Amino acid sequence: MIDSLPCMPQLLLRLINVLYGESNDIDGITITLRQDAVMTAKLLAAAHSAPSNKKTDPTSLENAISLLGIEEIKQLVVATASHQFFTDARPAGSTTQWSRTLANAIFARELATISSFPNVEQAYLCGLFIELGESAAELLDLTQRSTFAGDAIRYYQENTQQVLDAHPLVKILHLATQLSNEDELTPETIDTAKILFQLDEMATTQFHSRIKTEVNQLLDAYRFDDDIQAWKNLGSRLAELNSLNTISSRLWQARGQRALLSVIRHALNDCFGIQHCSLFEYESGQNILALKETGSGPGYHAELCVPLEKNRSLVSDAILEGRCISSRDYQNQLSVVDRQLIRHCQSDHIMCWPLESDNGPLGVLVFGINEEQLSKLLSQQNLGSSLRKQISTALDNDKSAALQIDGDVDIAADYQHKIKEAVHEASNPLSIIRNYLETLTIKLGEQHNAGENLKLIKEEIDRVSLILSDLRDKPTQAVPKKDSININRVIEDTALIFQSSIADTNKLSLRLRLDEQHMEIAGNANHLKQILTNLLKNAGEALANGGLIVITSDASVSIGGKRFFSIAVSDDGPGINDEIKAGLFYPGKSSKGITHSGLGLSIVKKLVDKMDGSILCRSSKGMGTQFEILLPITIRE
């Protein structure tokens, strides 16, 4: 199984450094991932198993990265690294195997190019996955549009005459492996190139020499530490990430500038032994950087202010140039304010960290630093970069919270803090549960009967995490992206979870009567799942033991010449009285008692509106209730 295969510690460390680097550069992440067969395979498998609102399977690494998103990839890489490190799962002969698979991939890619094979990326993946065997072939069967991709791995070792009439990918891998394994071409390989690709001896020799040179240059660029040192470095980086998680938790819980500065000081001390720091906050109205001290209140402007102009101070230069600046490099060019800050921070030098968000500059963190601390900081640049990013995020959130406060400041701040704290604390057990489910899935194996249920549970955990993220993040004016939803699949997945929990517990019957047409519409699958979950939960709470719930779907609804997809959830319960019907889709007092918030149907209505749909309710006392959702069909089946 691909999930259980170990990755090279050197590549895992590179991946972590790129993913947690300052820029989060997609190209850099893609290039680094493309060097490792196991991690690329794990990523494709994860993207293939993503929730059903994804429009297509991940046919390329770039597509998989886009489907999963950076945060999901971070979790996957760190989980893989942690599992390997703490279980001591060390790949045998890793460097040799890695260089061999990389050479196979590059030769396959270049053969695809010169032979005009239309999918060069697919050839590269096949070459990269050769060493992974049948499990990789099955993964390619699932994720590639060509049903022959997996066969390239299955049959590339057959003799040349056997593959002569096979799919081009088989021929490409057949020759690629011969070329990559030879420093000097043998007559047999030259004959193979002529038979399969009509390349004469000179063309084959030149091609082989060119690609071998490219591979060797890449291997030199990726020259690795020995395995023992690599494992030590990986362990140190994982320890750093653990420290950063702790700091992140403290920053999230910090309320107000005084608490935030206190956490920042503790973080700098814990990571680098730095004791003195000051925060210059950017005041956009006056275009200045104003010193903020722990003893000052919200709105207090210290007397020390630096204009945001070039060469006025290292503080202003740091934010204008977007880089960290140390006074040690400018000993003979320091302004008076810089020298004052060195004295203020009680140290030999100062370091200026620019703090920025997507909306622009936030300020500059200035801290005192001696030679020993500076050396430690330079040797742990990844930790410093990640810490600076976390501080920037915390400062941005703190400023946004201050701007959003309306009315009673203390109450609003306390409420916002409770939201952040609740989201953070809820996210921790969710991550633990999800990682446990991943481990359990691996232990049980792909063929175990519980596999599908575990997959659905993981999807539900991911959906809850998204809801929590929406609650935590600042609202934006961006138009939400609409993916393609396979309606019946979402209904079936949601129904399975409901059946296994509420329905079975309360002895309810659940029936599906779904339109057999394969229908996809534009929208958000998580929204639809949340709508159905609320409606099914309401129906279940309204029924006594032995009650019946029916879900129907219909793709043939037409209203005013426009096509709609209908989804109806019906029950044979007591019905809804007229008084409740009048305010059915508005938040308020629930008919189910004081333990219910009365928010369920208002949330349903809001989500249906987001999907440009309509919701209808039909209910008679003693005759049951039906909620029908009408969603516009904007993607043709």
Side-chain angles (χ1 to χ4, degrees):
M1 286 178 60
I2 288 171
D3 280 339
S4 61
L5 292 175
C7 301
M8 289 185 66
Q10 297 94 331
L11 277 165
L12 285 170
L13 185 58
R14 279 177 179 269
L15 272 173
I16 289 172
N17 290 341
V18 172
L19 285 165
Y20 286 87
E22 211 163 315
S23 62
N24 258 352
D25 176 38
I26 294 293
D27 289 339
I29 293 168
T30 305
I31 289 169
T32 308
L33 280 167
R34 287 172 65 86
Q35 313 308 322
D36 185 66
V38 174
M39 208 63 240
T40 297
K42 289 186 177 186
L43 221 67
L44 286 176
H48 174 71
S49 302
S52 57
N53 60 318
K54 306 303 181 185
K55 187 173 182 179
T56 58
D57 266 323
T59 55
S60 67
L61 180 58
E62 289 83 354
N63 187 218
I65 292 172
S66 175
L67 287 170
L68 289 173
I70 298 301
E71 291 305 315
E72 181 98 7
I73 294 170
K74 282 182 179 178
Q75 289 183 22
L76 181 61
V77 172
V78 171
T80 299
S82 300
H83 177 75
Q84 284 189 210
F85 185 80
F86 292 111
T87 59
D88 202 29
R90 307 189 180 196
S94 55
T95 305
T96 302
Q97 184 177 356
W98 174 77
S99 60
R100 186 169 60 243
T101 57
L102 191 57
N104 287 335
I106 294 173
F107 269 106
R109 181 191 68 199
E110 295 304 309
L111 277 173
T113 302
I114 66 171
S115 65
S116 299
F117 181 70
N119 197 330
V120 174
E121 168 71 7
Q122 196 173 71
Y124 182 90
L125 287 177
C126 289
L128 194 66
F129 289 170
I130 280 179
E131 301 281 343
L132 303 183
E134 180 60 28
S135 59
E138 292 173 0
L139 176 62
L140 290 172
D141 288 341
L142 290 171
T143 61
Q144 303 299 296
R145 292 194 181 99
S146 169
T147 56
F148 296 105
D151 287 346
I153 293 176
R154 294 184 180 97
Y155 303 122
Y156 79 93
Q157 295 185 78
E158 299 286 340
N159 65 57
T160 302
Q161 290 300 321
Q162 287 288 332
V163 304
L164 184 60
D165 298 317
H167 189 273
L169 278 173
V170 179
K171 293 189 280 188
I172 287 171
L173 257 65
H174 179 78
L175 179 58
T177 53
Q178 292 184 36
L179 291 168
S180 66
N181 288 327
E182 296 176 6
D183 292 324
E184 296 293 333
L185 288 177
T186 62
E188 290 78 14
T189 299
I190 292 171
D191 287 344
T192 299
K194 186 174 183 178
I195 293 169
L196 297 183
F197 295 97
Q198 293 74 54
L199 296 175
D200 60 30
E201 182 174 353
M202 180 178 292
T204 303
T205 303
Q206 290 175 347
F207 174 77
H208 178 261
S209 175
R210 176 171 66 85
I211 304 306
K212 272 290 183 181
T213 301
E214 180 183 342
V215 171
N216 289 332
Q217 288 173 345
L218 190 57
L219 295 179
D220 288 340
Y222 273 78
R223 192 169 297 282
F224 292 136
D225 299 323
D226 63 81
D227 284 348
I228 294 175
Q229 186 59 45
W231 281 100
K232 287 181 180 178
N233 293 341
L234 182 61
S236 298
R237 193 70 176 105
L238 289 172
E240 286 178 3
L241 291 178
N242 186 56
S243 297
L244 285 169
N245 283 335
T246 303
I247 292 168
S248 175
S249 176
R250 292 172 183 167
L251 288 170
W252 269 111
Q253 293 177 49
R255 277 188 289 177
Q257 194 177 87
R258 178 178 299 186
L260 197 57
L261 271 169
S262 178
V263 173
I264 291 170
R265 286 192 170 101
H266 282 295
L268 286 170
N269 189 30
D270 292 345
C271 293
F272 305 109
I274 293 166
Q275 296 182 343
H276 300 285
C277 74
S278 295
L279 175 65
F280 280 82
E281 220 175 335
Y282 176 59
E283 303 287 347
S284 58
Q286 303 175 62
N287 201 38
I288 60 170
L289 291 160
L291 178 64
K292 303 287 183 175
E293 289 297 343
T294 351
S296 60
Y300 170 86
H301 288 201
E303 293 180 2
L304 189 56
C305 297
V306 179
L308 195 61
E309 297 175 13
K310 184 70 176 166
N311 298 326
R312 295 294 290 265
S313 164
L314 297 183
V315 180
S316 56
D317 286 351
I319 199 84
L320 288 169
E321 296 176 19
R323 66 185 181 93
C324 302
I325 297 179
S326 165
S327 63
R328 189 188 67 170
D329 301 327
Y330 296 85
Q331 287 298 324
N332 299 322
Q333 307 168 44
L334 297 177
S335 65
V336 171
V337 69
D338 293 330
R339 283 177 275 166
Q340 284 184 295
L341 286 171
I342 292 173
R343 286 174 53 81
H344 179 70
C345 291
Q346 304 174 38
S347 196
D348 301 331
H349 313 288
I350 54 170
M351 175 68 77
C352 301
W353 273 4
L355 306 174
E356 300 169 287
S357 72
D358 292 338
N359 299 319
L362 298 167
V364 179
L365 186 66
V366 179
F367 50 88
I369 194 165
N370 59 34
E371 290 292 338
E372 182 182 346
Q373 292 163 339
L374 182 59
S375 176
K376 185 176 182 181
L377 185 64
L378 292 174
S379 68
Q380 294 181 287
Q381 291 186 38
N382 289 314
L383 176 60
S385 175
S386 298
L387 179 58
R388 183 160 69 94
K389 187 186 293 186
Q390 286 195 357
I391 292 171
S392 297
T393 301
L395 184 60
D396 190 30
N397 288 335
D398 189 67
K399 291 183 73 172
S400 299
L403 291 173
Q404 291 171 9
I405 290 174
D406 206 4
D408 190 325
V409 174
D410 291 332
I411 293 175
D414 186 60
Y415 182 69
Q416 193 155 40
H417 169 70
K418 286 181 178 178
I419 290 175
K420 289 198 299 183
E421 192 176 62
V423 170
H424 182 272
E425 292 306 310
S427 297
N428 285 337
L430 284 176
S431 297
I432 292 169
I433 293 168
R434 195 187 192 286
N435 287 336
Y436 175 73
L437 289 172
E438 290 282 2
T439 304
L440 188 59
T441 302
I442 292 171
K443 287 181 178 178
L444 293 176
E446 292 180 345
Q447 306 304 319
H448 197 278
N449 293 335
E452 188 63 28
N453 287 330
L454 290 175
K455 178 184 172 184
L456 288 174
I457 294 170
K458 282 190 289 185
E459 288 180 5
E460 286 302 293
I461 290 173
D462 290 341
R463 190 168 67 83
V464 173
S465 296
L466 283 174
I467 294 171
L468 290 173
S469 296
D470 288 343
L471 179 64
R472 179 192 64 202
D473 295 339
K474 293 182 296 181
T476 64
Q477 298 301 316
V479 178
K481 180 183 175 183
K482 290 186 177 181
D483 294 313
S484 175
I485 310 174
N486 183 322
I487 295 281
N488 285 348
R489 181 174 173 185
V490 174
I491 293 173
E492 288 166 349
D493 287 351
T494 310
L496 179 58
I497 293 172
F498 179 80
Q499 179 69 62
S500 303
S501 52
I502 296 175
D504 286 349
T505 302
N506 295 288
K507 298 182 175 60
L508 304 176
S509 297
L510 178 64
R511 295 177 190 169
L512 303 184
R513 296 170 183 164
L514 305 183
D515 194 317
E516 293 183 357
Q517 292 186 63
H518 176 72
M519 176 62 68
E520 293 191 351
I521 69 165
N524 185 309
N526 283 326
H527 287 172
L528 180 56
K529 194 171 280 189
Q530 195 171 350
I531 289 167
L532 290 170
T533 300
N534 272 291
L535 293 178
L536 287 169
K537 182 173 176 289
N538 283 351
E541 290 171 347
L543 294 175
N545 285 356
L548 172 65
I549 301 173
V550 179
I551 307 177
T552 59
S553 69
D554 185 355
S556 62
V557 176
S558 178
I559 302 175
K562 293 183 179 180
R563 295 185 61 199
F564 291 85
F565 198 105
S566 165
I567 306 166
V569 177
S570 308
D571 66 64
D572 60 354
I576 303 172
N577 65 47
D578 293 338
E579 181 185 346
I580 298 295
K581 276 186 194 176
L584 201 56
F585 297 109
Y586 300 94
K589 184 178 178 181
S590 170
S591 62
K592 292 178 282 187
I594 60 171
T595 59
H596 295 270
S597 63
L599 287 173
L601 288 176
S602 68
I603 291 171
V604 167
K605 175 68 165 59
K606 182 179 177 181
L607 293 174
V608 171
D609 289 343
K610 281 186 177 182
M611 298 178 73
D612 300 322
S614 302
I615 181 167
L616 312 172
C617 176
R618 303 179 183 90
S619 185
S620 302
K621 194 170 182 179
M623 299 295 290
T625 301
Q626 181 188 76
F627 286 95
E628 182 180 17
I629 311 293
L630 295 173
L631 300 175
I633 296 176
T634 55
I635 296 179
R636 294 184 178 179
E637 63 274 40

